[in-house]
């Protein structure tokens, strides 16, 4: 099916209408920001094909002040967001995504954002004493969260101190009070690198937080776009037209002209406060609340009837685990091929590992050492290194996205002593639930590479699979379709 969003600018409302036409939008009236929106969204994504949810009539807020969740959780919606032909199945989407991230990355330089004089985002402006972040229905997503989070499916726009590089990253944003929010950027993330430079120079860090946008915005801000590249360029390459931006009146940072809500301000040197805890993508609340930079919000821009784009993490499957699995699998596949691993068949970054901690690649083995090469690169390449824990390599007859088949290969084609390599002091995270048991003084982890391929030196003698041949299966399925 063709994608009717092709040619549209970055606008959440156009995407909502498209989703309504696809029959994948559910409107919910009267759910409370206090835990109800979070719990409804969490239960919704446990369904087989969850709809996107648009919450209105939120108690305590004017009608029209809305929250959207579950935007990226189906193949049809994800292909619509990525401006690909509409795919109804996971296999179809994965197939049409093949090679696309590499193509988009290659084209990104041709699509710098274009500044326009004004846009719907400036329909309403709060400034000075009128700034009130609490005027929007930020949910308390999970019972043990440290506060209400206005930023989950958001885009945090920042600029490098000593170059023109603008970065757009998805980092969670907690409301402290009516004009202060906390920003949690993990060390090493591009926004955190830029922040550190300003702090070392003793200068306020300019920030614009886009709290509602076409979901393509946070989808791309939430993946590993190369260091130094602006996510707006990458998004432009997907749209095949530049992102239209207006300039923040305080910081001059570029903001999508059709954004729903934008918080603009500065993180001042030394202003860090306790932030979190927050239910995380791997399914746990990380250890203890820690300090994080505070943004003093000095201007708020918003459209009439603004929509917060929510994308709450939780025990997988969660709001964005499906899109992460699809996107990271495509990026890992491109990374493996770019690093010279031949005959990569497919890659899958499993939702149960938050699309980071349990990744599988299938290869057609060509030479001794091929499987280990693929496994180690999967575990350590730029897109894959952060928090990777188990990287599994399987033969081409195994579907890496099918956990039953993957674990069958692990159980029957690997010998623990011979086939599990462990690398130490790899790239971990302060948010790793296992870090409680680590003795490292910095966020390292260890990584296992499981070679679950038939041993290459005995590949021709390895026992044959006891399963009906593809041809026999097809014949029998055709003849016995009334019972199969
Ligand atoms: C919904 C969502 C929430 C996220 N929250 C955070 C967060 O709070 N802190 C963080 O460092 N990364 C978070 N991430 C992951 C980053 O967005 C991701 O690593 C991205 O590559 C960061 O951008 P950067 O590479 O420009 O730093 C989140 C991703 C998504 C999709």
């Amino acid at each position: 099916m063709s994608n009717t969003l092709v040619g549209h600018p970055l606008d959440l409302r156009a995407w909502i209408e498209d989703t309504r036409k696809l029959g994948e939008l559910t409107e919910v009236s009267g759910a409370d920001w206090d835990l109800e929106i979070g719990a409804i969204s969490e239960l919704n994504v446990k369904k087989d094909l969850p709809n996107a949810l648009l919450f209105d009539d939120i108690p305590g807020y004017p009608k029209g002040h809305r929250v959207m969740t579950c935007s990226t959780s189906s193949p049809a919606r994800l292909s619509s967001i990525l401006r690909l032909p509409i795919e109804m199945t996971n296999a179809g989407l994965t197939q049409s995504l093949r090679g696309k991230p590499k193509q988009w990355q290659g084209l990104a330089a041709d699509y710098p954002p274009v500044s326009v004089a004004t846009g719907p985002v400036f329909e309403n402006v709060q400034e000075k004493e009128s700034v009130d972040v609490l005027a929007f229905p930020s949910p308390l997503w999970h019972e043990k969260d440290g506060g209400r989070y206005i930023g989950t499916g958001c885009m945090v726009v920042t600029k490098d101190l000593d170059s023109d590089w603008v970065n757009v990253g998805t980092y969670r944003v907690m409301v402290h009070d009516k004009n202060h929010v906390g920003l949690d950027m993990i060390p090493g993330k591009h926004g955190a690198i830029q922040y550190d430079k300003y702090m070392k120079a003793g200068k306020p860090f300019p920030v614009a937080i886009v709290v509602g946008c076409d979901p393509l915005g946070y989808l791309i801000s939430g993946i590993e776009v190369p260091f130094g590249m602006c996510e707006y360029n990458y998004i432009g390459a997907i749209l095949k037209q530049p992102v239209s931006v207006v300039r923040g009146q305080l910081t001059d940072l570029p903001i999508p002209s059709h954004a729903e809500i934008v918080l603009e301000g500065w993180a001042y040197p030394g202003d860090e406060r306790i932030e979190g805890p927050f239910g995380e993508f791997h399914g746990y609340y990380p250890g203890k609340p820690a300090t994080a930079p505070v943004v003093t919000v000095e201007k708020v821009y918003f459209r009439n009837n603004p929509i917060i784009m929510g994308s709450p993490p939780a025990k997988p499957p969660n709001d964005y685990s499906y899109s992460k699995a699809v996107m990271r699998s495509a990026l890992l596949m491109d990374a493996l091929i770019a690093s010279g691993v031949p005959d990569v068949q497919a890659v899958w970054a499993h939702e149960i590992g938050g699309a980071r901690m349990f990744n599988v690649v299938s290869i057609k083995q060509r030479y001794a050492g091929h499987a280990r090469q693929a496994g180690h690169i999967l575990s350590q390449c730029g897109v894959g290194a952060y928090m990777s824990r188990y990287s599994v390599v399987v033969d081409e007859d195994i579907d890496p996205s099918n956990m039953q088949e993957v674990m069958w290969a692990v159980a029957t084609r690997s010998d623990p002593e011979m086939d599990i390599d462990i690398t130490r002091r790899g790239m971990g995270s302060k948010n790793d639930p296992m870090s409680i048991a680590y003795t490292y003084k910095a966020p390292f982890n260890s990584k296992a590479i499981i070679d679950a391929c038939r041993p290459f030196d005995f590949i021709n003698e390895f026992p044959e699979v006891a399963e009906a041949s593809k041809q026999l299966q097809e014949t029998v399925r055709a003849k016995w379709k009334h019972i199969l």
Side-chain angles (χ1 to χ4, degrees):
M1 204 196 309
S2 66
N3 188 332
T4 53
L5 270 185
V6 171
H8 272 274
L10 211 57
D11 183 355
L12 175 57
R13 302 195 184 190
W15 181 79
I16 288 176
E17 284 322 304
D18 194 61
T19 301
R20 197 191 303 279
K21 282 189 211 124
L22 280 174
E24 295 205 356
L25 181 73
T26 302
E27 287 172 271
V28 186
S29 176
D32 206 310
W33 60 264
D34 188 1
L35 295 174
E36 271 193 339
I37 292 178
I40 293 171
S41 305
E42 196 176 309
L43 292 173
N44 182 54
V45 281
K46 310 281 183 212
K47 293 190 205 159
D48 270 352
L49 271 179
N51 269 8
L53 302 180
L54 184 59
F55 295 92
D56 200 351
D57 305 302
I58 299 167
Y61 288 89
K63 184 170 181 59
H65 277 43
R66 290 163 289 170
V67 175
M68 167 118 232
T69 63
C70 310
S71 53
T72 62
S73 323
S74 85
R77 295 205 293 290
L78 196 48
S79 42
S80 126
I81 292 167
L82 289 166
R83 275 55 175 183
L84 296 169
I86 303 299
E87 299 288 348
M88 306 310 284
T89 64
N90 191 24
L93 175 57
T94 316
Q95 191 57 31
S96 73
L97 246 184
R98 275 205 165 180
K100 284 287 185 311
K102 192 162 161 244
Q103 230 176 56
W104 292 328
Q105 198 173 305
L107 288 170
D110 300 339
Y111 291 97
V114 166
S115 292
V116 294
T118 191
V121 66
F122 286 147
E123 279 169 355
N124 304 276
V125 180
Q126 296 176 345
E127 54 193 340
K128 301 197 173 106
E129 280 70 45
S130 76
V131 167
D132 187 8
V133 177
L134 295 163
F136 308 100
S138 310
L140 180 66
W141 294 103
H142 321 99
E143 282 143 297
K144 300 209 165 112
D145 286 353
R148 296 169 68 177
Y149 279 80
I150 190 165
T152 49
C154 61
M155 304 161 72
V156 179
V157 187
T158 53
K159 189 181 157 298
D160 197 26
L161 179 62
D162 38 33
S163 76
D164 288 336
W165 172 35
V166 169
N167 191 67
V168 190
T170 299
Y171 314 117
R172 72 189 193 212
V173 181
M174 187 182 100
V175 179
H176 284 298
D177 58 41
K178 71 189 188 68
N179 61 341
H180 294 95
V181 295
L183 195 56
D184 181 67
M185 298 173 294
I186 303 281
K189 302 283 167 126
H190 300 162
I193 293 170
Q194 294 184 340
Y195 170 79
D196 286 345
K197 283 195 192 175
Y198 280 83
M199 295 306 108
K200 283 205 181 96
K203 293 188 172 169
F205 180 53
V207 184
I209 302 168
V210 180
V211 163
C213 192
D214 180 318
L216 179 61
Y218 89 85
L219 188 70
I220 301 307
S221 315
I223 58 165
E224 286 73 15
V225 166
F227 186 86
M229 178 182 282
C230 177
E231 284 72 5
Y232 285 142
N233 287 56
Y234 196 106
I235 294 169
I238 296 174
L239 294 174
K240 298 198 185 70
Q241 60 174 287
V243 174
S244 150
V245 293
V246 291
R247 296 279 161 178
Q249 295 167 5
L250 287 173
T251 61
D252 203 41
L253 286 168
I255 300 161
S257 55
H258 289 62
E260 294 289 328
I261 305 169
V262 176
L263 316 179
E264 190 185 24
W266 312 85
Y268 291 100
D271 193 6
E272 296 209 349
R273 300 186 199 168
I274 293 288
E275 189 269 356
F278 188 55
E280 275 289 357
F281 72 95
H282 43 54
Y284 297 89
Y285 296 94
K288 295 186 193 120
T291 57
V294 170
V295 178
T296 302
V297 181
E298 297 178 19
K299 286 222 183 204
V300 179
Y301 315 107
F302 61 101
R303 291 177 76 159
N304 296 331
N305 297 320
I307 305 170
I308 292 177
M309 171 58 82
S311 187
K315 181 177 161 191
N318 60 44
D319 190 286
Y320 59 87
S321 57
Y322 174 68
S323 60
K324 280 282 182 216
V326 172
M327 294 302 291
R328 195 159 288 112
S329 303
L331 289 165
L332 286 168
M333 174 104 181
D334 281 356
L336 281 160
I337 293 169
S339 71
V341 181
D343 283 303
V344 177
Q345 309 292 306
V347 177
W348 195 251
H350 280 268
E351 284 184 73
I352 50 136
R356 288 198 187 277
M357 294 180 286
F358 196 100
N359 302 333
V360 186
V361 56
S362 66
I363 58 165
K364 178 151 182 53
Q365 291 188 78
R366 293 292 178 197
Y367 46 84
H370 188 182
R372 298 300 162 101
Q373 179 192 27
H376 280 269
I377 292 174
L378 182 67
S379 155
Q380 288 290 359
C381 63
V383 188
Y386 176 70
M387 276 187 99
S388 60
R389 198 182 321 270
Y390 293 100
S391 300
V392 184
V393 193
V394 293
D395 291 304
E396 75 279 12
D397 61 323
I398 303 293
D399 170 2
S401 70
N402 182 327
M403 191 59 96
Q404 186 90 5
E405 285 195 23
V406 170
M407 292 318 289
W408 174 68
V410 170
T412 60
R413 297 183 192 178
S414 74
D415 172 60
E417 190 207 348
M418 185 170 69
D419 290 322
I420 303 179
D421 284 354
I422 294 182
T423 61
R424 293 180 170 78
R425 293 173 76 82
M427 189 180 184
S429 168
K430 74 177 173 72
N431 283 339
D432 181 347
M434 274 300 288
S435 62
I436 191 158
Y438 294 160
T439 51
Y440 312 121
K441 291 205 172 119
F444 295 114
N445 71 358
S446 68
K447 300 176 189 294
I449 292 91
I450 304 179
D451 178 354
C453 292
R454 297 177 186 93
F456 187 74
D457 30 1
F458 296 98
I459 200 160
N460 294 325
E461 295 101 83
F462 202 81
E464 292 209 54
V465 175
E467 183 181 48
S469 66
K470 290 266 175 307
Q471 196 192 352
L472 177 58
Q473 287 188 30
E474 272 169 34
T475 318
V476 167
R477 269 186 206 288
K479 183 170 174 190
W480 295 92
K481 58 177 177 289
H482 53 291
I483 58 161
L484 290 173

